[in-house]
Amino acid sequence: TKTLHIVGGGMAGSEAAWQAAHMGVEVVLHEMRPKVETFAHQTGNLGEMVCSNSFRSDDDEQNAVGLLHWEMRAANGLIMSTAEQHRLPAGGALAVDREPFAETVTARLKALPNVTVSYEEITDLPTDGHWIFATGPLTSASLGQAIQQETGAKALAFFDAIAPIIYADSIDMSKAWMQSRYDKGETEEERTAYLNCPMDKDQYEAFIDALLAADKTEFHEGETAGYFDGCLPIEVMAERGRETLRHGPMKPVGLTNPHQPDIKAHAVVQLRRDNALGTLFNIVGFQTKMKYGAQTEVLRMIPGLENASFARLGGIHRNTFLNSPTLLDNQMRLKSRSNIRFAGQITGVEGYVESAAMGLLAGRMAAAEILGLELPEVPQDSAMGALIHHITGGAEAKTFQPMNVNFGLFRPVDGLKGGRRGRKDRYKAYTDRAKAAWQEWLANFS
Ligand code: FAD
């Protein structure tokens, strides 16, 4: 058939429907609201923003999310052009008046002659037809079960327990060192997968005090169930006993500090490489509910991380997402069932903009497939390409956690640290390169 079915009319599903419809494909958009509700959505509108009303920075020369805005605008994006229409003054950020925004998204989609909106919950993965599932972080329970049945329990997460992620070039290597515990690992790649930051007794005690005192976020209703066994927040571990962390993620065993080979560290914070490029590292076992301000302050107490710059801060919340690096091909199709694509936050991106961006790609890819159009791979140097590449292949599958767009996902310009360029020049180089690559890809559609 020539019809494209899209499940979920949030950021990703709305954008996917718009893109596919503009390519001339018949679209049926299935949305369960208002019949079935989520704990966060308030209306039955398509494109509802569940929390903040901001699409974050609009700076397309110095900011990766601003670059994503630019790329979506260049591709006739529904979410971006509607945001522009309902823009509120917010300095360099793109903030919108959320209610009229969602109403306009709904109206613009319904005004397209080849889009039908069907208000119903979809509870299984159909075996035929072309489908995009964009059901988001709050995917309904019955559909969640059906997905889990297809992918296996381990490949679908219902909670997000994110350890903070740090830019490699902001770590002070005069204090930290590279070593895997007990020097495990056969290959050079495995041996360079870990960085270590040592603490003496005083530093450790001060760190525990700061953790206990830090401001934390409360859980939402329905959020606490089932996460506590596998991934305790570090502050909860610290509450259980001052030594708990030293016997858990901060244990100092099997490691020798080359900067001070004769002194045994009292505790060690370990960081693990988070992407193939080696530009990002996550702090092992450091999921946390500390508020963002408190979090940066406390984490910068760790020797070597005094000037850490964070690609993403830690957190724990309800979030349904796939282990995309193992499950999806480079067009976001389920490897085991190629008639099904996923898009949006459920693929392991994080945020309104990133979700809409992956909807844009999925919509175009699905429509191209239906129309028999061959598409080259999305260029990795564009923000779109950096994201899709990360979730479908670049990220480490074992530790896969949802990701915001950031320059750490891009192939370095002039080597890992950007050569001698300052940060401003480097970001401008990334964004210039990205825009050119993205425009070249878009030319496939004209
Ligand atoms: P959604 O926008 O959630 O859309 C999914 C749609 O699918 C929904 O309309 C849902 O009703 C529908 N659906 C689900 N299951 C079914 C089914 N079985 N059948 C039919 N329809 C179904 N991001 C930010 O950038 N900023 C924030 O401040 C922010 N705050 C957040 C707060 C909360 C509480 C949550 C849960 C998420 C937050 N996010 C935030 C992340 C945000 O949800 C996503 O970035 C974005 O909305 C995801 O887009 P999406 O299209 O993937 O999912």
Side-chain angles (χ1 to χ4, degrees):
T1 69
K2 297 271 185 222
T3 304
L4 174 61
H5 294 270
I6 299 175
V7 186
M11 293 297 144
S14 300
E15 186 68 58
W18 177 261
Q19 296 291 333
H22 277 91
M23 286 173 65
V25 165
E26 225 28 75
V27 175
V28 181
L29 181 54
H30 306 262
E31 169 54 57
M32 69 177 186
R33 290 176 294 115
K35 283 188 194 150
V36 182
E37 297 184 328
T38 77
F39 82 78
H41 292 87
Q42 307 287 326
T43 72
N45 288 334
L46 304 174
E48 179 180 333
M49 301 170 91
V50 288
C51 187
S52 96
N53 68 332
S54 171
F55 289 112
R56 319 205 309 273
S57 171
D58 203 27
D59 181 345
D60 61 64
E61 295 191 342
Q62 291 294 313
N63 189 291
V65 82
L67 172 63
L68 212 44
H69 292 177
W70 188 97
E71 292 183 10
M72 289 205 282
R73 286 183 180 121
N76 177 35
L78 168 70
I79 297 297
M80 280 303 123
S81 57
T82 310
E84 206 56 58
Q85 229 177 305
H86 298 288
R87 189 172 191 144
L88 298 173
L94 175 55
V96 304
D97 195 352
R98 76 174 74 224
E99 286 235 357
F101 167 80
E103 279 161 15
T104 305
V105 167
T106 310
R108 289 179 78 187
L109 281 168
K110 286 188 170 173
L112 294 176
N114 52 344
V115 173
T116 311
V117 183
S118 170
Y119 291 98
E120 59 180 334
E121 180 189 7
I122 302 292
T123 56
D124 57 8
L125 299 178
T127 46
D128 51 32
H130 299 271
W131 292 79
I132 297 177
F133 281 81
T135 46
L138 307 176
T139 294
S140 72
S142 35
L143 180 63
Q145 268 170 15
I147 296 172
Q148 204 167 34
Q149 222 159 40
E150 175 68 25
T151 60
K154 284 206 179 120
L156 183 72
F158 293 98
F159 285 90
D160 206 355
I162 309 155
I165 299 175
I166 294 175
Y167 290 105
D169 61 7
S170 70
I171 299 169
D172 181 355
M173 292 305 289
S174 71
K175 293 183 182 158
W177 75 96
M178 212 165 244
Q179 185 187 12
S180 64
R181 209 181 288 283
Y182 300 112
D183 297 307
K184 277 202 186 128
E186 306 281 296
T187 62
E188 178 65 13
E189 206 188 355
E190 286 163 347
R191 283 190 297 271
T192 56
Y194 291 93
L195 282 180
N196 306 282
C197 300
M199 276 187 188
D200 63 24
K201 186 156 192 300
D202 290 346
Q203 288 166 330
Y204 179 77
E205 294 299 334
F207 183 73
I208 298 296
D209 287 337
L211 265 186
L212 294 174
D215 257 357
K216 287 129 199 154
T217 329
E218 298 303 321
F219 282 95
H220 282 119
E221 195 186 330
E223 267 197 327
T224 49
Y227 95 90
F228 268 107
D229 11 332
C231 47
L232 281 177
I234 46 170
E235 59 276 8
V236 174
M237 283 192 247
E239 276 163 20
R240 292 192 171 179
R242 298 187 67 90
E243 292 292 291
T244 308
L245 279 167
R246 232 166 64 75
H247 297 291
M250 293 175 73
K251 58 178 178 282
V253 300
L255 297 163
T256 311
N257 181 356
H259 307 300
Q260 290 181 310
D262 303 328
I263 301 173
K264 185 101 195 105
H266 187 69
V268 173
V269 174
Q270 214 173 28
L271 290 85
R272 178 169 39 214
R273 193 176 51 217
D274 201 70
N275 61 348
L277 295 171
T279 50
L280 298 173
F281 278 77
N282 67 68
I283 315 187
V284 181
F286 264 49
Q287 49 280 345
T288 173
K289 289 283 277 185
M290 275 188 285
K291 289 198 171 149
Y292 285 177
Q295 209 177 123
T296 46
E297 224 168 273
V298 171
L299 296 173
R300 286 187 183 134
M301 292 172 73
I302 299 170
L305 303 188
E306 292 87 347
N307 297 309
S309 125
F310 295 88
R312 106 155 272 197
L313 286 163
I316 299 175
H317 55 83
R318 175 78 199 279
N319 191 4
T320 308
F321 68 97
L322 299 165
N323 192 280
S324 295
T326 55
L327 296 174
L328 304 184
D329 72 9
N330 67 0
Q331 285 214 22
M332 294 185 281
R333 286 176 295 223
L334 207 49
K335 286 179 190 163
S336 61
R337 288 235 227 142
S338 64
N339 70 315
I340 291 183
R341 269 191 175 73
F342 284 89
Q345 186 136 332
I346 197 168
T347 61
V349 294
E350 168 89 24
Y352 301 138
V353 181
E354 288 84 343
S355 299
M358 293 304 98
L360 189 153
L361 286 183
R364 287 195 175 226
M365 288 169 165
E369 192 173 282
I370 290 170
L371 299 169
L373 198 87
E374 285 281 336
L375 285 181
E377 218 178 304
V378 187
Q380 210 184 323
D381 290 338
S382 63
M384 290 281 190
L387 259 186
I388 192 175
H389 181 80
H390 180 76
I391 58 174
T392 63
E396 296 287 341
K398 268 192 240 153
T399 56
F400 185 62
Q401 286 294 337
M403 191 51 130
N404 279 130
V405 70
N406 64 76
F407 288 124
L409 302 178
F410 287 65
R411 281 198 287 217
V413 277
D414 303 347
L416 195 60
K417 294 189 179 177
R420 286 171 204 282
R421 295 177 202 233
R423 182 182 287 188
K424 233 179 144 184
D425 280 355
R426 189 164 20 125
Y427 288 173
K428 180 73 165 50
Y430 280 132
T431 54
D432 284 347
R433 185 179 67 176
K435 289 172 185 174
W438 178 241
Q439 269 173 329
E440 201 180 310
W441 192 76
L442 283 181
N444 290 297
F445 296 87
S446 51

